[in-house]
Amino acid sequence: MTSPLHAQHYADCAASLRAVVTASDLIAEKTYRLRLHAPEIASQIVPGQFVMIRLDGFNDPLIGRALAVYRVVANGDQPPEELEVVYIAKGKLTTRLARIQIGQHIGIWGPLGNGFPTVECEHLIMAAGGIGQTPFLALGSEALGRESFPGRTSGYAARATLLYGVRSASLAAGLDDFAAAGIDLDLCTDDGSLGTQALVPDRLATLLAAPDRAASTRVVCCGPEIMMERVAEVCAAAGVPCTVSLETPMACGIGICFSCVAKVRQADGEWDYKRTCVEGPVFDAASVVW
């Protein structure tokens, strides 16, 4: 009998290793795409899961940093051996990470957390703000049947759209990657320098109110909490299912420190604290107590 204290996504099968850096590219203002050779993790991970990374030789910061997996990279028909993460260089760890050289090693452990659900729909809208687009390249590729992941179905959406908002055009990262995967782009900027001058929740409300909206539409969301809360409200008002990936700060990533708890509503209507790193980071938006 399974213990009631055992969460489905404990890091029982996670690997911890020193991964070799194989590429590091600047893809937007202060935004980098980092590729790591980590076959033990790349071959297991699914869209929505994350890894924790820590730089060798540094004790400040002492704890690791959680980063969503952006893409896995395979050689032909072989299982994936490399994975990519995308981050903005603004803190101690990420600023140092931006200076890392090809061939250096990074401490990494994962895969961690749960993944996005694979639910058939006509239109999958992936709403992202800031750096929240990072888990959606893999998800969109899977949804359109262009990529498959262990233990999951693929090709469950007829269309996938990245609804992506940033402050200014210089911060929009990975647009070519999403376009190459066949994912539609609907872009928003605060200053109007790219796409529509609008906030993501407002643009989403417009899309969901359109007369030609697909009968079966699902929304997934990642970004600043205030944006996710508003996206959840828009989806609830439109009667559209919404799933969010929380960006709660983490320390351990494996459920032992309880620093990343979020209020999540239970089946009886009461809420309880859930660890974003173990029971999440992906939750039904309607269950999150914002």
Side-chain angles (χ1 to χ4, degrees):
M1 180 176 179
T2 303
S3 167
L5 298 179
H6 187 278
Q8 182 180 359
H9 304 290
Y10 271 143
D12 297 354
C13 299
S16 178
L17 60 138
R18 295 175 70 246
V20 179
V21 175
T22 58
S24 180
D25 301 298
L26 181 68
I27 60 172
E29 182 182 338
K30 295 184 179 180
T31 307
Y32 293 81
R33 183 179 57 218
L34 179 73
R35 182 177 294 187
L36 301 170
H37 185 264
E40 299 93 331
I41 300 174
S43 62
Q44 296 185 66
I45 206 154
V46 302
Q49 288 188 300
F50 66 97
V51 295
M52 296 288 290
I53 64 169
R54 188 171 181 272
L55 294 180
D56 284 359
F58 290 96
N59 291 323
D60 182 20
L62 182 62
I63 62 175
R65 172 72 183 271
L67 293 174
V69 170
Y70 181 66
R71 175 166 56 190
V72 296
V73 183
N75 184 8
D77 295 330
Q78 299 302 310
E81 294 191 348
E82 296 181 311
L83 60 87
E84 292 180 343
V85 295
V86 171
Y87 65 93
I88 294 177
K90 62 179 181 180
K92 287 183 179 179
L93 187 148
T94 51
T95 300
R96 288 171 177 157
L97 193 59
R99 298 195 294 265
I100 203 161
Q101 301 297 310
I102 306 303
Q104 287 186 250
H105 290 78
I106 290 177
I108 180 173
W109 56 102
L112 302 170
N114 60 356
F116 289 105
T118 58
V119 180
E120 289 192 10
C121 60
E122 294 179 48
H123 190 190
L124 176 66
I125 300 177
M126 301 174 289
I131 198 68
Q133 87 286 12
T134 53
F136 292 146
L137 178 61
L139 179 66
S141 297
E142 178 191 60
L144 294 175
R146 292 176 174 244
E147 194 165 359
S148 59
F149 293 86
R152 291 165 61 95
T153 59
S154 63
Y156 45 84
R159 178 187 175 197
T161 297
L162 176 69
L163 173 56
Y164 180 25
V166 289
R167 293 193 307 274
S168 185
S170 64
L171 294 167
L175 301 185
D176 291 343
D177 293 335
F178 283 91
I183 298 167
D184 299 334
L185 298 175
D186 195 319
L187 307 175
C188 304
T189 48
D190 292 354
D191 61 5
S193 57
L194 180 68
T196 305
Q197 186 172 10
L199 298 177
V200 166
D202 296 333
R203 177 60 181 160
L204 177 63
T206 299
L207 295 178
L208 296 183
D212 60 347
R213 189 192 93 189
S216 173
T217 300
R218 296 187 67 86
V219 173
V220 294
C221 182
C222 184
E225 184 171 311
I226 191 171
M227 185 206 81
M228 290 192 287
E229 179 180 3
R230 178 64 182 132
V231 164
E233 292 171 352
V234 168
C235 290
V240 172
C242 179
T243 306
V244 294
S245 179
L246 301 184
E247 293 190 320
T248 312
M250 301 177 189
C252 72
I254 58 175
I256 62 175
C257 72
F258 285 80
S259 68
C260 64
V261 293
K263 293 180 179 179
V264 177
R265 193 170 287 106
Q266 309 302 295
D268 61 4
E270 299 296 321
W271 65 264
D272 195 5
Y273 285 115
K274 298 296 182 181
R275 292 161 295 181
T276 302
C277 68
V278 174
E279 287 88 7
V282 176
F283 295 97
D284 182 343
S287 70
V288 178
V289 180
W290 301 100

